Amino acid sequence: MRRLIFVLLAVVSCVALARCDGTPQKEINALMDLYTSTNGEQWTRNTNWMSGDPCDPQNIWFGLLCTSYGSGVRHIWYLSLYRNNLQGTIPSSIADLNNLQLLQLTSNFLSGTIPEEVFSLSDLLLIDLQSNKLTGTIPDQIGKLSN
């Protein structure tokens, strides 16, 4: 009976995550939104972007580092596209990278405002957006970051 319950819990967990291994679709979608909203086809380096699992060790997307915490599900914790010719806006869906600790989009051509949702990333240790064309004020939500 215990084994049956364990198997059922594993299946339910996989269904809830929408994936049983690899990178959660929600994180992949957030990266795809970033690529689309910042003219990814024109980036200086976009190696492997938009193909396969972004955290697949054999096909990792340029600028990412991932971790699996031993579970088989891989999460993006590092996103650095420094001096990479990003042009456009930062999508609010970037907040779907729940395990993100470092966000470095320095020295690009990003415009618009910093999405408030960025500051809901509770694991974020460093955010570097300097040398862009961002406008507006830094959202008050920056004070909610715990790290």
Side-chain angles (χ1 to χ4, degrees):
M1 182 65 167
R2 285 184 185 180
R3 185 173 185 181
L4 177 62
I5 291 172
F6 177 77
V7 169
L8 286 174
L9 286 175
V11 169
V12 169
S13 296
C14 288
V15 170
L17 290 171
R19 296 177 69 106
C20 296
D21 61 357
T23 307
Q25 192 62 48
K26 193 172 187 180
E27 292 183 40
I28 295 171
N29 292 346
L31 293 173
M32 292 169 70
D33 288 349
L34 178 67
Y35 186 88
T36 302
S37 70
T38 59
N39 200 19
E41 290 183 11
Q42 299 302 313
W43 291 357
T44 305
R45 291 197 57 196
N46 59 9
T47 307
N48 296 329
W49 276 75
M50 307 301 274
S51 66
D53 186 325
C55 292
D56 179 347
Q58 305 302 316
N59 193 49
I60 193 150
W61 294 7
F62 172 77
L64 301 182
L65 291 177
C66 305
T67 187
S68 69
Y69 302 114
S71 67
V73 177
R74 297 183 289 261
H75 297 282
I76 294 120
W77 71 269
Y78 175 99
L79 173 56
S80 178
L81 296 170
Y82 172 82
R83 296 186 74 181
N84 203 39
N85 198 37
L86 278 69
Q87 302 172 33
T89 59
I90 302 168
S92 60
S93 60
I94 197 115
D96 291 335
L97 301 174
N98 296 327
N99 294 275
L100 198 63
Q101 295 179 24
L102 181 139
L103 176 61
Q104 185 178 39
L105 303 176
T106 310
S107 299
N108 284 292
F109 301 94
L110 295 172
S111 57
T113 59
I114 302 169
E116 293 179 7
E117 292 85 354
V118 168
F119 302 105
S120 69
L121 294 167
S122 60
D123 291 342
L124 197 61
L125 299 172
L126 182 129
I127 180 170
D128 192 349
L129 303 172
Q130 67 181 319
S131 299
N132 278 290
K133 297 178 179 184
L134 295 168
T135 58
T137 59
I138 297 173
D140 291 337
Q141 285 79 355
I142 195 167
K144 293 181 180 178
L145 292 174
S146 58
N147 293 317

